[in-house]
């Protein structure tokens, strides 16, 4: 029995997935109204709109022009980040009469499109090693 437990422990350690921390520096916010809503996706299926299918989400009160937000213990792999400066607190992107965003937003790799939603393939990056830092620009 002890032999079986020892093998089980070795297999658990051997097949354990490595994790990383993802640090995002987002700026520059035009004001300190509302929150920034951030979603981390590991595939294109729900990106960028369905935060319920994201691997991680955060909502952070905007208190300064630049914020650093960390997602801890994400499994190493491919990801894309999307975020919204939700100035009025309604937890959705407000648009004007032609559908253009009225609140700030952005993605990893600054992969924003003028006339359509950002694409996962343009925003994706590899999360490897202990820590990864990304500097993200907010577009208004």
């Amino acid at each position: 029995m002890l032999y079986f437990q020892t093998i089980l422990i070795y297999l658990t350690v051997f097949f354990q997935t490595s994790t990383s921390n993802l640090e995002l520096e987002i700026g520059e916010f035009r004001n300190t109204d509302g929150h920034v809503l951030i979603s981390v996706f590991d595939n294109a299926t729900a990106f960028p709109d369905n935060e319920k299918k994201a691997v991680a989400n955060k909502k952070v009160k905007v208190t300064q022009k630049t914020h650093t937000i960390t997602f801890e213990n994400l499994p190493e792999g491919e990801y894309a980040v999307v975020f919204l400066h939700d100035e009025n607190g309604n937890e959705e992107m407000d648009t004007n009469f032609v559908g253009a965003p009225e609140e700030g937003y952005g993605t990893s790799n600054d992969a924003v499109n003028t006339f359509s939603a950002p694409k996962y393939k343009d925003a994706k990056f590899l999360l490897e090693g202990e820590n990864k830092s990304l500097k993200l620009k907010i577009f208004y």
Side-chain angles (χ1 to χ4, degrees):
M1 183 71 166
L2 182 59
Y3 177 73
F4 178 72
Q5 290 173 334
T6 304
I7 290 175
L8 188 60
I9 289 170
Y10 282 126
L11 287 174
T12 301
V13 170
F14 182 75
F15 288 110
Q16 192 173 34
T17 305
S18 296
T19 61
S20 299
N21 296 328
L22 175 61
E23 181 181 271
L24 307 174
E25 181 184 317
I26 302 173
E28 180 161 301
F29 292 92
R30 67 178 167 195
N31 58 50
T32 56
D33 296 339
H35 294 83
V36 60
L37 309 174
I38 310 126
S39 295
V40 180
F41 293 87
D42 64 355
N43 65 69
T45 306
F47 183 87
D49 300 324
N50 191 347
E51 74 278 352
K52 291 178 183 169
K53 292 192 176 181
V55 296
N57 293 293
K58 285 198 178 188
K59 178 179 178 179
V60 177
K61 173 78 177 118
V62 177
T63 58
Q64 53 200 23
K65 292 290 186 176
T66 302
H67 275 273
T68 300
I69 298 132
T70 302
F71 289 86
E72 296 179 342
N73 300 316
L74 291 172
E76 289 185 342
E78 183 181 275
Y79 293 96
V81 173
V82 64
F83 64 92
L84 167 67
H85 180 195
D86 183 25
E87 294 174 86
N88 62 4
N90 67 354
E91 297 194 0
E92 60 183 50
M93 179 180 279
D94 295 319
T95 58
N96 64 19
F97 68 97
V98 294
E102 292 188 324
E103 295 177 301
Y105 66 99
T107 64
S108 42
N109 300 330
D110 295 332
V112 296
N113 294 320
T114 306
F115 299 107
S116 66
K119 305 286 187 247
Y120 180 86
K121 67 180 179 85
D122 299 327
K124 69 181 179 179
F125 61 91
L126 283 178
L127 181 62
E128 298 176 304
E130 193 173 313
N131 297 299
K132 182 167 187 86
S133 296
L134 299 177
K135 190 171 184 172
L136 307 177
K137 183 178 177 183
I138 189 164
F139 295 89
Y140 286 96

